[in-house]
Amino acid sequence: MQGILHFRLMTDPARRRATYDDVLAAPSYVVAEVIGGTLYTQARPRSGHARAATRLSNVLGDPFDRGMRGPGGWVILYEPELHLGPAPDIVVPALAAWRRERMPELPDVAFFTLAPDWVCEVLSPGTQDLDRAEKVPLYAREGVAHVWLVDPVVKTLEVLRLDGETYHLVTTVRGDAHVHAEPFDALELELSLLWER
């Protein structure tokens, strides 16, 4: 099963906005998110998506989260649930990271209300429209400094930097390129590691 199933709970003014209760009521085999009062559900990621996210987490984790052979200074999490804004919007990026000065210790919570400093969305054919059109502007609204968009199908990494209220495309790299990508540019990232089967 691929793609996004979304339920427009706001199409009729008499209908209510989706809430966290709707996320909790969603089947366990889907990822449920609420953006602008609309509930979006999608199947769990396919293997190529999961592999790219796992590999990226591994590559960044030791030098930036653990400080092994790298600068440290970050908390990096796989699929954290974020509750952002007053409504709130509820999203689950593939990866998110906070600078240690903003999150000195990892809190024992089910979800995070502190916006991350970096988010990575691993795109799939069924979710890329939602990721680009809904989630990226939400991250800008919340002041997330960097967004990475990783596409394991076409093997690309897009690096976005917040510039005022919108993102500026810093770079797009493809295939087996090696890149120093903000904000983790202290490390050379070998993209082929993300696509290996």
Side-chain angles (χ1 to χ4, degrees), residues 18 30 34 60-61 64 77 80 86 98 117 121 130 137 152 157 161 164 168 175 187:
V30 301
V34 175
L60 298 178
F64 294 98
L77 296 177
W98 292 259
D117 296 289
E121 292 289 355
L130 177 69
L157 164 65
R161 180 191 323 123
H168 166 78
L187 170 79

Side-chain angles (χ1 to χ4, degrees), residues 37-112:
T38 300
L39 176 67
Y40 295 89
T41 61
Q42 56 204 357
R44 300 295 308 166
R46 295 179 61 88
S47 59
H49 180 289
R51 177 66 147 184
T54 300
R55 281 288 178 89
L56 187 55
S57 177
N58 291 340
V59 167
L60 298 178
D62 281 349
F64 294 98
D65 192 324
R66 298 179 65 204
M68 296 175 56
R69 297 174 308 281
W74 291 83
V75 174
I76 301 174
L77 296 177
Y78 181 80
E79 290 191 349
E81 185 172 299
L82 308 176
H83 291 217
L84 304 173
D89 290 302
I90 302 166
V91 292
V92 182
L95 296 166
W98 292 259
R99 293 185 184 274
R100 286 272 181 195
E101 56 261 24
R102 293 187 58 238
M103 185 187 286
E105 291 186 15
L106 183 67
D108 184 19
V109 295
F111 56 83
F112 297 86

